[in-house]
Each structure stands twice: as structure tokens, then as C-alpha cells.
Amino acid sequence: MTARDPSFAIPGRPERKYPRSGGVEYEGETVFALTPDADHSDGDLDALVADVLESGPYRSGDFMELPMPLYLVRDEETADVFRVTVRDSAIQLHVLPETESAGLRRFYDRLCERSECEWSVVCRTDFG
């Protein structure tokens, strides 16, 4: 596996819960952290994510007033839905219960097309 060909196999999926108090919660987490090999500020990475979302086959929305960018993204070609955050000099792809690898891979490929750096990809899971 090369730096330009990471695996987006999903080792575990969060489980959606609907508490009596309302809303939705997720138990468990799988996150793919995409880190550029060159220094980029979170603002630069957010601008890159916005460019990918605007030019790709995506429907997306930026969530609430948070201290970091958080997008809910739907790839209109694969029908995959996932969250994208920018935090700590990395772009994070958060798997949702129905997310498939194809949508994550396509986002990564489009990100690589629009950037002039290599990316490392690390998958983290937490199903404590």
C-alpha cells in the first residue's frame, strides 16, 4: 500500500441511538485522519475541504457554531454519507452507520487531485 493508495476498509461502525430526551447519539467511532506531509493550517485545510465539496458530486452542510469546521457530506454518486471535520492540522472522515468505503475513497482521491502534497491516512476506532 502506497501513500497514495491507503485502505479505507471500515473495521467497525457506530451504532445510532435515540435517547428519550430527544436527538440522536452514536455509540462507537471510526475515524480516518488524513494528514498532509507539508504544514497546513486548519484554515487552509478547511478551504481545501470546501473546494472539494463545491466541485465534487456532494451535498453538504456546515454544522452549528463550533470551534472547528464540521460538515455532513453526501456523495451523490455513491450515496455515502459521512462527517468531515478539520482539526489539529488534519482532515478527519467520520464513519456513520451506513457509510461505505467507496465514498471515503472518492473523497480522498478528490482531495489528492486538488492538493500538491502527499497524505498519510490513519484509521482510529473507539468502541470502548
Side-chain angles (χ1 to χ4, degrees), residues 29 46 49 53 60-73 82-87 92-94 96:
E29 178 179 56
D46 184 33
V49 167
L53 295 176
S60 65
D62 191 358
F63 273 70
M64 310 171 257
E65 291 295 318
L66 296 174
M68 65 180 185
L70 171 62
Y71 301 92
L72 181 62
V73 176
F82 49 96
R83 290 183 309 214
V84 177
T85 61
V86 176
R87 183 179 195 171
Q92 300 177 352
L93 309 180
H94 297 257
L96 296 174

Side-chain angles (χ1 to χ4, degrees), residues 63-118:
F63 273 70
M64 310 171 257
E65 291 295 318
L66 296 174
M68 65 180 185
L70 171 62
Y71 301 92
L72 181 62
V73 176
R74 176 183 165 88
D75 184 315
E76 292 295 334
E77 292 178 359
T78 66
D80 285 314
V81 177
F82 49 96
R83 290 183 309 214
V84 177
T85 61
V86 176
R87 183 179 195 171
D88 300 328
S89 301
I91 297 170
Q92 300 177 352
L93 309 180
H94 297 257
V95 173
L96 296 174
E98 294 83 20
T99 304
E100 296 295 336
S101 297
L104 302 174
R105 160 61 67 189
R106 290 173 57 84
F107 184 89
Y108 172 80
D109 290 344
R110 290 181 180 113
L111 181 70
C112 289
E113 289 172 6
R114 286 177 175 68
S115 62
E116 297 180 11
C117 62
E118 296 291 320

Side-chain angles (χ1 to χ4, degrees), residues 10-31:
I10 299 171
R13 299 173 187 284
E15 194 173 316
R16 194 175 283 131
K17 301 286 184 179
Y18 301 95
R20 289 181 187 248
S21 60
V24 64
E25 296 175 354
Y26 293 95
E27 287 186 6
E29 178 179 56
T30 296
V31 177

